[in-house]
Each structure stands twice: as structure tokens, then as C-alpha cells.
């Protein structure tokens, strides 16, 4: 039995030569629009026989460096001399991007936890299904740009992991080096396999992600890292002829090893941090104090780091609930 195609229809023809701008028409039937569609902007440029590169942002709607970099790229795409095909979707979970929230206001869907998606599922599941069945198969290299969103500050880092196929390692490392992020981080997601990246890798695609800032704001420094990095990757692939204005600098490699590199809240309350983003901390070092706002006379619970490392992620909100991630550490590593 063959699988059914996506219910999302594109107004652009991905096989057509030239520059096109249009939308992915996401069906959304609701009280005020029985046959409604949500148009998700998409731009494609195709010339020559080079590789197909898919660039996306807005996987989470409150992470802005990626979408802004991609919208700036879109505004000059029609003038680019390329050899291949470039597909750009700056606000992939468009309802969330419109709303400036991590998840969709329609179904509360977190797109980056819904792959491979569902053709007949919720709005966000349908987006995941379209990406997985329509965009991934036609792409050779995929880059998805993130940031920490409203709840995190994230040190700027390219997220990377060597493909399972060892024959792809050299090509993959060339992309990492071309992007030239200050830090490249191999992240243990503690078994999470519903992500965009996990789905892309299951299809054997060369995939890079990145976290560049946080707080639902746009940092000029981090935006430049994204813009320059994307330009260098596209140039290294031979997709664009325009040489990068800024050469890549060596990247340092760090790794989130296991759950010991995560710090979670043990109860609800207000957290007083005893660390800052970028700090190097030791195992057993005091991470902060958790105050019970219902019983402020009780001694604060002290939380300690379970491993040594560098603070790569710090929670924005001091109010926490049990299980909230407060910090993520990483340690220096090598590829092999």
C-alpha cells in the first residue's frame, strides 16, 4: 500500500528553472473559514545541475536570528548566480512564527517534537509530514536555524553530529568548517528522536542546525554569525558564486555528554542562579538556590552541577516548575 501525499499544496513548482516566490498552502478549516488555508511563505531559485539546499527558520516561532537572516537572503535571491537549487522557508511553523511563540497557537504543536508528522493530523503534524515527505526527499543538504527562544539564552553554536554513514563524514566536516561558528556542539538529546534533524538524518541527508541567541530577541552579533555561516556553506557547496566577505575561523568542538550535563528544577519556586552563561563550572559546584514562594521562611533548596563543563544554555525565567531545564553544560571534545 502506497502512502498518501501531503494535504499541503505548494504554489511554487520546485522542478521549474528560475526564481519563484509563493506559499505552502496548509489546510485549516475552522469556524470563520470552512475551506481556509494558511499560506506559509516559500521561495525557490533553481539554475543549473548543482545540489539542492533547504534552508529553514521559524521551526519555533520565538527564535528570530534564523528567520531574519533568511528573509534578508530572500530579498536578494533573484539576483544570485547559482548552480543548483535553493529552497528557503523562513517561518516553517508559520502560526507560531506569526504569534511569536515556541508552539502553534492553533494546536499548541511543537514542530520540532512532531516528526515524522501525520498527513491527517493536527496543523503542526501536517507541516512536519509535508517537510518529511516532500522537502527532505528533494534536498541534498539541509540547514535549520534556531535560537533559545523566550525561555533560554543560548551561547551561539552550530549543532552538529557525524552522519551514521561514514562515507559522508568528510563532506559533513567540510560544511561544519565552512560555517565557521565560534563553537560547534554535539548535543545528546537524551533519546529524543522526534526532531526535524533526526528525521533528516534518517533520510541520509547532510543536516546542520544551530542555536544563536535567545530571549525571543535578535542579537546583531549572532545574526552576523548566521548570515556569514550560511553564505560560506552555500559557497563551499558550489551553489553560489559570490565569495564570502568574511573567511571562516576555526571552530571549537564541545559535547553535551549525558543527563549529567543538564540541570533540572526539582520543584516549583523561584530560582537564584549562581552562574552565568559561558561560565566554566565543576562537578558538585553550587548552581543556585530554589526558593519556595508558598513558604518563604523555609531554607532554599540548593542545586548542584552533576558534571563539570561550560554553561552553554541558561534559563531566562527565574520562576520554575519541577522538571524545567535551568542549564545545559558542555565539555571540550574531538570528533573521534
Amino acid at each position: 500500500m502506497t502512502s498518501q501525499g501531503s494535504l499541503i499544496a505548494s504554489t511554487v513548482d520546485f522542478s521549474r528553472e528560475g526564481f519563484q516566490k509563493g506559499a505552502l498552502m496548509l489546510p485549516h478549516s475552522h469556524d470563520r473559514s470552512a475551506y481556509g488555508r494558511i499560506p506559509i511563505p516559500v521561495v525557490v531559485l533553481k539554475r543549473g545541475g548543482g545540489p539542492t539546499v533547504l534552508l529553514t527558520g521559524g521551526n519555533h516561532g520565538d527564535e528570530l536570528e534564523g528567520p531574519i537572516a533568511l528573509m534578508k537572503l530572500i530579498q536578494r535571491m533573484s539576483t544570485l548566480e547559482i548552480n543548483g537549487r535553493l529552497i528557503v522557508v523562513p517561518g516553517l511553523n508559520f502560526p507560531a512564527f506569526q504569534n511569536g511563540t515556541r508552539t502553534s497557537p492553533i494546536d499548541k504543536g511543537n514542530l520540532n517534537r512532531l516528526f515524522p508528522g501525520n498527513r491527517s493530523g493536527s496543523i503542526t503534524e501536517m507541516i512536519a509530514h509535508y517537510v518529511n515527505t516532500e522537502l527532505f526527499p528533494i534536498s541534498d543538504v539541509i540547514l535549520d536555524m534556531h535560537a533559545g527562544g523566550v525561555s533560554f539564552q543560548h551561547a551561539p553554536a552550530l549543532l552538529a553530529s557525524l552522519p551514521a554513514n561514514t562515507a559522508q563524514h568528510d563532506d559533513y566536516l567540510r560544511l561544519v568548517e565552512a560555517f565557521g561558528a565560534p563553537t560547534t556542539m554535539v548535543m545528546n538529546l537524551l533519546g529524543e528522536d522526534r526532531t526535524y534533524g533526526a528525521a533528516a538524518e534518517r533520510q541520509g541527508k547532510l543536516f546542520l542546525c544551530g542555536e544563536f541567541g535567545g530571549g525571543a530577541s535578535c542579537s546583531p552579533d549572532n545574526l552576523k554569525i548566521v548570515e556569514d555561516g550560511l553564505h560560506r556553506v552555500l559557497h563551499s557547496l558550489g551553489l553560489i558564486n559570490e565569495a564570502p566577505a568574511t573567511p571562516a575561523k576555526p571552530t571549537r568542538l564541545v559535547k553535551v555528554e549525558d543527563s549529567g550535563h543538564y540541570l533540572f528544577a526539582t520543584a516549583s519556586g523561584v530560582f537564584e542562579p549562581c552562574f552565568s552563561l559561558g561560565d566554566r563550572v565543576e562537578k558538585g559546584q553550587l548552581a543556585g538556590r530554589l526558593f519556595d514562594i508558598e513558604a518563604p521562611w523555609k531554607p532554599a533548596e540548593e542545586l548542584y552541577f552533576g558534571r563539570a563543563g561550560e554553561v552553554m544554555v541558561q534559563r531566562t525565567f527565574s520562576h520554575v516548575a519541577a522538571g524545567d531545564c535551568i542549564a545545559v553544560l558542555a565539555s571540550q571534545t574531538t570528533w573521534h
Side-chain angles (χ1 to χ4, degrees):
M1 177 178 171
T2 58
S3 61
Q4 293 176 294
S6 173
L7 288 170
I8 297 174
S10 174
T11 67
V12 301
D13 179 353
F14 292 108
S15 65
R16 198 182 89 190
E17 294 283 313
F19 175 76
Q20 301 172 75
K21 55 188 177 182
L24 308 176
M25 302 299 286
L26 169 63
H28 180 38
S29 177
H30 56 97
D31 291 341
R32 296 184 61 82
S33 186
Y35 298 139
R37 296 291 187 272
I38 298 171
I40 302 173
V42 60
V43 176
V44 59
L45 175 61
K46 184 177 187 296
R47 294 192 185 102
T52 294
V53 178
L54 172 64
L55 303 180
T56 55
N59 192 321
H60 296 131
D62 59 352
E63 302 174 0
L64 299 176
E65 282 82 358
I68 290 174
L70 295 181
M71 288 188 288
K72 291 173 72 174
L73 173 61
I74 282 171
Q75 290 175 15
R76 61 189 190 91
M77 266 178 68
S78 63
T79 65
L80 289 179
E81 294 182 12
I82 74 164
N83 177 35
R85 178 169 53 179
L86 182 58
I87 302 169
V88 183
V89 187
L92 191 57
N93 190 350
F94 199 62
F97 187 43
Q98 287 178 305
N99 202 47
T101 51
R102 181 175 180 83
T103 62
S104 171
I106 298 172
D107 60 5
K108 298 302 180 184
N110 179 347
L111 179 58
N112 211 33
R113 300 294 185 275
L114 286 175
F115 281 84
N118 183 344
R119 175 187 183 273
S120 304
S122 70
I123 289 293
T124 313
E125 288 176 318
M126 290 170 66
I127 297 172
H129 178 266
Y130 179 85
V131 172
N132 194 62
T133 60
E134 303 292 336
L135 295 183
F136 285 170
I138 63 174
S139 302
D140 301 303
V141 177
I142 301 167
L143 293 97
D144 187 39
M145 296 293 101
H146 287 251
V150 69
S151 69
F152 277 144
Q153 290 293 338
H154 203 300
L158 187 71
L159 303 190
S161 181
L162 286 174
N165 181 358
T166 57
Q168 294 179 306
H169 285 189
D170 287 346
D171 289 340
Y172 189 80
L173 290 175
R174 277 193 288 271
L175 295 180
V176 171
E177 292 166 2
F179 194 98
T183 301
T184 298
M185 187 164 78
V186 180
M187 190 166 187
N188 182 336
L189 288 174
L190 307 182
E192 179 59 71
D193 63 359
R194 300 169 295 169
T195 65
Y196 179 113
E201 289 165 2
R202 283 193 288 269
Q203 295 194 29
K205 307 300 179 176
L206 293 177
F207 171 77
L208 291 173
C209 183
E211 300 278 1
F212 300 97
S217 62
C218 181
S219 156
D221 291 341
N222 291 339
L223 178 61
K224 181 172 172 53
I225 292 171
V226 176
E227 289 184 276
D228 289 349
L230 291 177
H231 190 139
R232 288 191 294 262
V233 166
L234 295 178
H235 184 261
S236 74
L237 289 167
L239 188 76
I240 62 173
N241 297 324
E242 182 185 343
T246 307
K249 295 180 180 179
T251 184
R252 67 189 184 106
L253 187 64
V254 301
K255 185 175 184 179
V256 180
E257 299 279 358
D258 52 33
S259 60
H261 267 154
Y262 288 79
L263 178 69
F264 295 103
T266 54
S268 297
V270 171
F271 181 74
E272 174 204 358
C274 295
F275 63 91
S276 297
L277 191 69
D279 281 357
R280 296 185 182 277
V281 301
E282 300 300 325
K283 180 179 180 179
Q285 180 176 326
L286 178 66
R289 302 175 184 89
L290 183 55
F291 291 87
D292 184 345
I293 63 174
E294 306 294 337
W297 46 83
K298 288 174 57 176
E301 179 185 359
E302 294 185 336
L303 302 184
Y304 297 87
F305 290 112
R307 291 192 61 155
E310 177 182 341
V311 180
M312 296 296 294
V313 179
Q314 182 174 10
R315 181 173 169 83
T316 306
F317 303 130
S318 289
H319 278 87
V320 297
D324 280 341
C325 183
I326 295 172
V328 182
L329 310 180
S331 297
Q332 296 280 351
T333 189
T334 60
W335 284 114
H336 300 289

